[in-house]
Amino acid sequence: MFSVGAYLQIAALLAVTFVSFFIWTYLTSPSPNLVSLSDPKLLRTLYNTRGDYLKSKFYDVNSAKVGHEIIYNVFSTRSNKEHAHAIRPVRKLFTLSSLLKTEPLIDATIQTLLSELDSNFVLGENAGKTCKMDNWLPFFAWDVIGSLTFGAPMGYLDKGCDFDGSQRSGVETFFYFACVGQIPELDYFLAKNPVMRIGPPAFNGPAILCAQRVAERQKEFEIKGKTAHKDMLEDFMRINREDPSIMDENAVIGALIVNVLAGGDTTGILLCAIIYYVLKDQSVYRKLMEELDAANLPCPVSYASAEKLPYFDAVVKEAARMHPGVGLILERVVPAGGLTLADGRVLSPGTIVGMNAWVIHQNKEIFGDDAASFNPERWLRGKAETDEGYQVRLSIMKNHDLTFGAGKRVFESCGSKPRMAHPVLLVYEADWDRCKASEKEQDRGLTSIRG
Ligand code: HEM
């Protein structure tokens, strides 16, 4: 075994080698090898269903290191072959019919959210207290993900705080991904350093959480000889037990990490955006209330009835357009043959290109002259519009909606948003006409509400 001193020497040597490599690479490059594109005509070229524009090394950073192993997941893998292998066993678990079976779990979490908001901010001596919805909606989203993934809510709604630090760890993870992803090679020097992990928190927090849950469930299986949970952990482990070549233990952990990280934050962000925009615009708020009044819905509202609410659907789509949960360039690599831009310039194979939803969603040619404003009506048929004209306009907007990505690497099930967007119907339940936030309060956090 090496002494601590020897390890430190190796680490110092590696550090010097890496730093020299980066200084050399970046000083000798004419420019960083990334071109951010905003021409909507190129969207279906970069994000096509053939998948010839592979994901860039930026996504490598999203893999977690557990022990000495780097665990790639369905989101982070760049290879089409590995992606097909990783997505095959999980795809059916994310179909609408599978997800609808989880409705009772989501309903129970909606009930918990409503009763926590009532008791903490609306009833008795708590009436009138300010509620930071940008805390409570992520608590809800993470609890739903916990129920679907591990069979029980994470407990954030019950405790009213990030009691185990997982949410903070998720935020730090994304911060690491966003920054280090710009120079992905740095990741092998920091979080994936072969000698010793250095640098800020990365994917290790969520990875440890998921590995622990797998170990606990495995132990239960060994003691009882069987387990009968109705959650994704059980589904993933069953696939692993039946045929590890389809999903090995690392793939199980990788799939869980994706659920925890990709689902909680993004959904929390969308929910906050919906509440923010609805409360900011009185005419939108009133219209939504009218639709909900007329529908006379039970609480919680089922997916089937929410689907029949066109204005609600338009509000959700518009909030996602204005405030897409992923604010980074979705990087891809130009394949052999290069990419010709509208002005005739050709980007050579290997160039990294990408688009950002925050840019594309503001394009006036696609979304109209008022693209900068929150206007759910754009998703509905205008009074003077023919049905044919509306369908054409709608399909152009849908084809340029990057909220959930596009092309081969879009994850269809991210679109289970209508169900996850349900607590927004608490706008209705809580009669927020009485308790809407002041402009100042809304702008301080994304949303704060006074009960
Ligand atoms: C409002 C909520 C969500 C938003 C805005 C969102 C956004 C996105 C985006 C933009 C991508 C494409 C990334 C790229 O091409 O680089 C993506 C991919 C992905 N998302 Fe989501 N997502 C949401 C919810 C979820 C949920 C709930 C899950 C799972 C529990 C999930 C799992 C995934 C996976 C696995 C991929 C990778 C798909 C692939 O490469 O085949 N997402 N998401």
Side-chain angles (χ1 to χ4, degrees):
M1 285 295 282
F2 292 129
S3 66
V4 176
Y7 274 120
L8 286 177
Q9 272 181 17
I10 297 171
L13 194 69
L14 277 170
V16 172
T17 316
F18 270 101
V19 171
S20 319
F21 169 75
F22 286 120
I23 291 174
W24 171 255
T25 309
Y26 283 89
L27 287 185
T28 53
S29 303
S31 65
N33 192 28
L34 166 69
V35 181
S36 169
L37 297 171
S38 62
D39 179 356
K41 290 188 199 74
L42 290 175
L43 195 145
R44 292 286 146 187
T45 306
L46 265 58
Y47 307 105
N48 63 45
T49 45
R50 293 187 307 280
D52 52 350
Y53 278 70
L54 296 177
K55 284 189 169 184
S56 73
K57 284 186 188 166
F58 164 70
Y59 291 90
D60 282 1
V61 179
N62 199 282
S63 309
K65 190 157 182 251
V66 177
H68 292 292
E69 290 237 43
I70 296 180
I71 303 182
Y72 290 87
N73 57 54
V74 73
F75 179 84
S76 71
T77 182
R78 290 186 278 136
S79 134
N80 277 338
K81 197 169 157 217
E82 280 173 24
H83 177 256
H85 185 262
I87 201 145
R88 193 160 65 97
V90 297
R91 180 170 269 146
K92 59 178 178 295
L93 303 176
F94 285 97
T95 57
L96 184 59
S97 58
S98 298
L99 289 171
L100 282 180
K101 289 188 194 136
T102 64
E103 265 203 305
L105 292 173
I106 303 181
D107 285 348
T109 320
I110 292 175
Q111 297 282 22
T112 311
L113 172 65
L114 292 176
S115 77
E116 289 299 329
L117 292 185
D118 268 352
S119 58
N120 285 300
F121 304 101
V122 182
L123 301 178
E125 60 190 30
N126 288 326
K129 276 195 182 163
T130 298
C131 164
K132 277 188 69 62
M133 291 304 285
D134 51 341
N135 282 341
W136 285 85
L137 292 174
F139 291 165
F140 165 81
W142 278 73
D143 269 4
V144 168
I145 293 291
S147 296
L148 303 186
T149 311
F150 304 118
M154 303 283 217
Y156 297 116
L157 287 175
D158 262 355
K159 303 226 168 40
C161 64
D162 178 19
F163 65 96
D164 63 352
S166 289
Q167 293 205 5
R168 198 198 55 236
S169 159
V171 170
E172 286 168 351
T173 301
F174 278 118
F175 188 69
Y176 180 88
F177 180 36
C179 298
V180 175
Q182 306 311 310
I183 309 176
E185 291 81 359
L186 268 183
D187 190 35
Y188 293 95
F189 172 62
L190 298 170
K192 299 191 179 78
N193 188 312
V195 181
M196 188 178 65
R197 198 193 165 278
I198 37 177
F203 285 76
N204 45 318
I208 291 167
L209 171 89
C210 295
Q212 276 170 351
R213 297 290 173 109
V214 170
E216 283 160 19
R217 190 66 62 86
Q218 184 59 28
K219 202 167 166 197
E220 189 187 330
F221 182 77
E222 279 159 17
I223 293 169
K224 294 186 184 161
K226 62 173 182 180
T227 46
H229 299 272
K230 286 191 170 40
D231 53 31
M232 288 201 183
L233 172 58
E234 190 72 17
D235 291 331
F236 297 155
M237 290 185 74
R238 184 178 24 79
I239 298 170
N240 166 257
R241 279 195 287 268
E242 284 168 9
D243 188 349
S245 72
I246 294 180
M247 202 172 190
D248 64 17
E249 204 169 297
N250 282 347
V252 171
I253 297 173
L256 294 172
I257 294 174
V258 170
N259 267 25
V260 169
L261 285 179
D265 263 355
T266 46
T267 309
I269 291 168
L270 176 61
L271 295 175
C272 286
I274 300 170
I275 298 278
Y276 173 77
Y277 284 112
V278 168
L279 290 187
K280 245 194 138 171
D281 188 327
Q282 273 300 295
S283 68
V284 171
Y285 174 76
R286 272 195 302 272
K287 235 177 151 171
L288 186 58
M289 290 308 112
E290 274 164 28
E291 183 178 72
L292 297 172
D293 268 338
N296 193 19
L297 300 160
C299 172
V301 180
S302 69
Y303 177 84
S305 8
E307 263 201 320
K308 293 181 198 130
L309 301 171
Y311 194 71
F312 168 65
D313 185 57
V315 165
V316 174
K317 283 199 180 91
E318 184 66 351
R321 182 188 72 81
M322 289 293 284
H323 199 104
V326 177
L328 292 163
I329 294 174
L330 308 179
E331 294 185 12
R332 299 293 187 267
V333 181
V334 175
L339 172 68
T340 307
L341 303 181
D343 62 5
R345 276 181 296 174
V346 179
L347 300 179
S348 52
T351 309
I352 301 171
V353 287
M355 293 185 178
N356 187 324
W358 281 77
V359 175
I360 296 295
H361 289 185
Q362 294 297 313
N363 188 297
K364 291 185 179 168
E365 282 170 36
I366 307 295
F367 294 99
D369 285 342
D370 66 342
S373 321
F374 181 79
N375 176 16
E377 313 286 335
R378 82 177 76 251
W379 296 97
L380 303 169
R381 184 176 155 187
K383 282 196 183 94
E385 201 171 26
T386 62
D387 190 45
E388 203 185 3
Y390 166 61
Q391 292 303 338
V392 171
R393 192 173 59 79
L394 185 64
S395 91
I396 292 174
M397 291 196 296
K398 281 184 173 172
N399 283 336
H400 293 88
D401 184 346
L402 262 189
T403 307
F404 301 101
K408 193 174 172 67
R409 300 299 295 267
V410 68
F411 194 58
E412 304 292 346
S413 307
C414 302
S416 60
K417 64 185 165 147
R419 195 64 188 98
M420 289 292 265
H422 259 53
V424 168
L425 295 178
L426 72 86
V427 172
Y428 181 66
E429 305 298 338
D431 186 5
W432 284 4
D433 206 15
R434 283 187 285 113
C435 56
K436 57 191 179 296
S438 70
E439 284 275 300
K440 204 167 143 218
E441 277 172 326
Q442 286 179 35
D443 289 335
R444 209 171 45 216
L446 188 57
T447 29
S448 308
I449 311 289
R450 197 118 37 77

